[in-house]
Amino acid sequence: MSDAMRGAVRFWSGLLCLAILSGCAMVEIRSISASEYINHKRGDILTSGALSASADETLQMAGLEAKNCGSLAQACIDVLTNLSGIPDEKRLATLAELWLLQAMNLPTPVKGVENPKVNAWLQTARYAYGYLFYTQRSPSQRAFEDRQTQVLDYYNYAVQEATTALFHAYATDDPEPLKRTDEMTYGGWRIVTDLSGIRLPGGQVRPKELIPASSLSFSGVRSVYRRDGFGAELVAVVDDGPLSSGDDTNEPFSEMPSPTLTVVFKFHAETLDELLKTRTVYLDVYDPYRKQSILLRSLRVPLAANFTAGYGLWLARSGFATQSLRTLLGREDGFERPHIYMMQPYDPDRRIIVMLHGLGSSPEAWVNLANEIMGDETLRRNYQIWQVYYPTNLPLAYNQAYIRRAILETLHHFDPDGMARASQDMVLIGHSMGGVLARLLSSSSGEGLWEGWAQDNAMDPEQQAQLEARAAQLFRFDPMPGVERVIFLASPHRGTSMARNTLVRWLSGLIRLPLNMLESVGGAFKGKSGGNADAGKADALEGKRPLKLPTSIDNLDVGDPFVLRTADLPIGKGIRYHSVIGQKDMSVPLEASDDGVVPYWSAYLDGAESQKVVHSGHSVQETPEAILEIRRILHEDVENEVQRRARSFPAQDPAAAPALPPVPPRATTPAPVGAAHPSPAVDARP
């Protein structure tokens, strides 16, 4: 081969090698999906089980491989802790994630052995705290960065896990109350606790359980309402047994036995170096209903909260469904007195919404309505919810008197002087029979009820004098003090022909009224009204006429004397009221319609400030349309209260009043023109 040819071969061979080498170094382009994009940006140890892209980038800066840190997390932590030259934000965020990985990899120890996970959780919280509050940029300057959201999640999750681990480590049957402030040492850490921000329900001294809200999932609850922010969302469960028959020694109220708490870990240090050396953590516990934010390092930080978890847990464990049925039938394992369940610890600065369920029902009937109210920031800031759980087998006269007593005794217990905002301007919400009771609580009886009942039972003078001393309060009443507004939901104010249904009458025959109630009204009631045949025979031998005390189902009949006499009782002056009425078949004219149980003419009330008809069966309180209407009314009520205060205190700065969202236009169904109460004759249904 000639020299020229050899030169050409070398030239082209070199050029080919250069092309090959250049091809190996070329950048390749590949399209990625939307899910890959999000996973790359936001995936981390909590969401994907692998270290985040941000951690991977920081580890590469330190000469480490993220894939090796899975099994050697502590080694990676040691290298990154002692390495300089990496920006604090990147280093602290990655160390928080690595300590989180370490905690998740550590085995759970056997009972009685110190839990090594606690140290890893506390380290996670400390490094996350350093990232959030001790780096050059403030949290507000990183508000739109995914990395800050991830680090806040690490902090909150670590606080949740460390708190529950410490609770289990120190769980005891010791009856001594938890100290408001205390200290403990665990895993080389000094932990200073502050419980001054909470009060456990019913004066309980310590929780029975402490459950992460994030671990609870519910069916039957349409929405879970939370507030994003700083801290761990937990549910504290205390002992609170179900109501029992004849248990008259207890208070007429109890606070919901599973309140929601928010726990925050604080680290006190002037500089980042001091923070990373401290082994003291301050564990503070807050009531998220009372505390919306806290001050950390001169920054106002919103507190995380879960307003559904405690409520859902209580209902899931309550056993209300079976107990309410046993009570309706008058069984011994039912209960005999109305009881008030407070959905949060009593707050003197929030107005009270009192909810009254219907026949054979319980507080479970309010699950979505109560949850929607507690999930609304404006309504939660202005209201607290009391749910009345009452025995629905008892006659309306009896229940209205004892519900009234329970509410007033509860108010007096918490506010003896009656000066708190909570004692003023209550809102009553009643469904079905609960709506009838709400109307009795807001009405004046005059003398007609007592005189009519005495006449119906043909009492002799001796019986009348004896029973008037004991039972007159059942039939003589005025509007309950403090009521400002009432919302009636599918309420049979004039009864329903459904009470005459064969199946319903058969059920009514099974109902037995409690002996304690009969004795409290008068011995003559031990006759046929209570189903006590022997007592009835004894009354007959003595020449007494056994007085008839109706059951709740009797009171719902269109022809019941009590219903007929109460249908037109005047609602108290100044009390505003609203009707929400179900219409099952929208093709039927409104005046002739019903909700499957209650006819329109019975649910209608003349003089209502608003009336809303929704396409619904009898359980109208469960429908989104009715719930939105109730929220509208309550928002309007809050706005009206602000205006009333402005008129009462004109010198007050209007800016001091709570901000309210705009109230939407009222959407109501016009009341029928003509007679105040449509004739029952329009109801042609059996």
Side-chain angles (χ1 to χ4, degrees), residues 485-488 571 575-579 605-610:
R485 193 176 297 265
V486 189
I487 303 174
F488 302 109
I571 292 178
I575 297 178
R576 301 178 176 186
Y577 53 98
H578 310 257
S579 293
L605 278 181
D606 191 31
E609 188 166 298
S610 69

Side-chain angles (χ1 to χ4, degrees), residues 570-646:
I571 292 178
K573 184 178 179 180
I575 297 178
R576 301 178 176 186
Y577 53 98
H578 310 257
S579 293
V580 180
I581 300 173
Q583 185 175 3
K584 190 172 183 179
D585 186 348
M586 300 301 285
S587 66
V588 175
L590 179 61
E591 291 79 1
S593 69
D594 60 33
D595 61 17
V597 175
V598 177
Y600 172 80
W601 56 260
S602 184
Y604 167 79
L605 278 181
D606 191 31
E609 188 166 298
S610 69
Q611 176 179 283
K612 179 76 172 179
V613 176
V614 301
H615 185 196
S616 168
H618 187 55
S619 297
V620 67
Q621 84 285 358
E622 297 178 357
T623 65
E625 191 175 6
I627 292 173
L628 286 172
E629 171 68 2
I630 294 167
R631 289 176 62 181
R632 181 198 67 79
I633 293 169
L634 294 175
H635 273 280
E636 188 176 272
D637 196 32
V638 170
E639 185 173 295
N640 288 341
E641 184 191 19
V642 173
Q643 294 170 355
R644 288 196 303 273
R645 283 189 297 161

Side-chain angles (χ1 to χ4, degrees), residues 447-629:
E447 290 295 317
L449 288 184
W450 167 253
E451 293 173 355
W453 188 69
Q455 181 180 356
D456 291 342
N457 287 281
M459 291 186 287
D460 59 45
E462 180 185 353
Q463 286 178 315
Q464 185 165 345
Q466 177 189 6
L467 291 175
E468 186 166 9
R470 290 180 146 188
Q473 76 274 14
L474 305 184
F475 301 94
R476 291 177 178 148
F477 49 82
D478 291 312
M480 187 171 64
V483 175
E484 183 265 342
R485 193 176 297 265
V486 189
I487 303 174
F488 302 109
L489 308 174
S491 302
H493 301 294
R494 297 169 196 85
T496 169
S497 59
M498 181 64 71
R500 297 182 175 181
N501 178 280
T502 302
L503 179 61
V504 175
R505 296 312 306 167
W506 173 80
L507 176 63
S508 179
L510 299 178
I511 293 178
R512 293 293 180 267
L513 299 178
L515 184 60
N516 286 349
M517 186 209 73
L518 300 177
E519 291 175 342
S520 70
V521 176
F525 282 179
K526 292 181 183 178
K528 62 184 180 182
S529 63
N532 188 328
D534 292 337
K537 292 176 182 178
D539 289 339
L541 290 174
E542 294 178 13
K544 291 182 180 179
R545 175 188 177 92
L547 305 183
K548 177 171 175 55
L549 189 65
T551 66
S552 55
I553 291 182
D554 293 330
N555 277 161
L556 295 179
D557 188 89
V558 290
D560 180 72
F562 185 82
V563 168
L564 292 174
R565 291 190 180 101
T566 58
D568 297 312
L569 291 181
I571 292 178
K573 184 178 179 180
I575 297 178
R576 301 178 176 186
Y577 53 98
H578 310 257
S579 293
V580 180
I581 300 173
Q583 185 175 3
K584 190 172 183 179
D585 186 348
M586 300 301 285
S587 66
V588 175
L590 179 61
E591 291 79 1
S593 69
D594 60 33
D595 61 17
V597 175
V598 177
Y600 172 80
W601 56 260
S602 184
Y604 167 79
L605 278 181
D606 191 31
E609 188 166 298
S610 69
Q611 176 179 283
K612 179 76 172 179
V613 176
V614 301
H615 185 196
S616 168
H618 187 55
S619 297
V620 67
Q621 84 285 358
E622 297 178 357
T623 65
E625 191 175 6
I627 292 173
L628 286 172
E629 171 68 2

Side-chain angles (χ1 to χ4, degrees), residues 70 76 91 206 256 280 293 396 411 467 573 591 621 680:
C76 293
R91 186 166 62 93
R206 62 178 62 240
M256 190 174 65
T280 298
S293 62
L396 292 173
L411 284 171
L467 291 175
K573 184 178 179 180
E591 291 79 1
Q621 84 285 358

Side-chain angles (χ1 to χ4, degrees), residues 209 211 237 312-320:
E209 299 176 76
I211 303 173
V237 182
L313 182 66
W314 171 59
L315 288 179
R317 294 183 173 184
S318 67
F320 283 143

Side-chain angles (χ1 to χ4, degrees), residues 85-216:
I86 296 177
D88 284 339
E89 280 191 13
K90 291 182 175 295
R91 186 166 62 93
L92 294 170
T94 302
L95 283 168
E97 190 171 359
L98 287 171
W99 274 112
L100 183 66
L101 175 62
Q102 175 82 321
M104 297 170 72
N105 286 341
L106 287 170
T108 301
V110 296
K111 189 174 181 180
V113 177
E114 196 169 80
N115 188 347
K117 286 178 175 282
V118 171
N119 174 62
W121 295 129
L122 293 175
Q123 294 279 12
T124 301
R126 182 174 62 174
Y127 280 105
Y129 198 86
Y131 167 89
L132 292 168
F133 302 112
Y134 285 83
T135 50
Q136 186 175 3
R137 294 191 297 163
S138 68
S140 61
Q141 292 174 307
R142 295 187 296 250
F144 296 105
E145 295 183 13
D146 293 328
R147 192 53 168 162
Q148 177 160 279
T149 301
Q150 290 174 328
V151 175
L152 180 59
D153 287 341
Y154 305 156
Y155 172 87
N156 289 347
Y157 188 71
V159 173
Q160 168 188 296
E161 295 302 302
T163 302
T164 52
L166 289 168
F167 176 81
H168 291 303
Y170 287 93
T172 174
D173 295 327
D174 187 349
E176 287 296 317
L178 294 172
K179 296 179 181 179
R180 308 310 290 170
T181 57
D182 202 358
E183 288 190 20
M184 65 182 82
T185 301
Y186 196 94
W189 287 82
R190 174 175 167 257
I191 302 167
V192 182
T193 60
D194 183 355
L195 307 180
S196 61
I198 62 165
R199 178 179 60 80
L200 292 178
Q204 295 286 332
V205 296
R206 62 178 62 240
K208 179 181 177 183
E209 299 176 76
L210 195 63
I211 303 173
S214 61
S215 69
L216 300 173

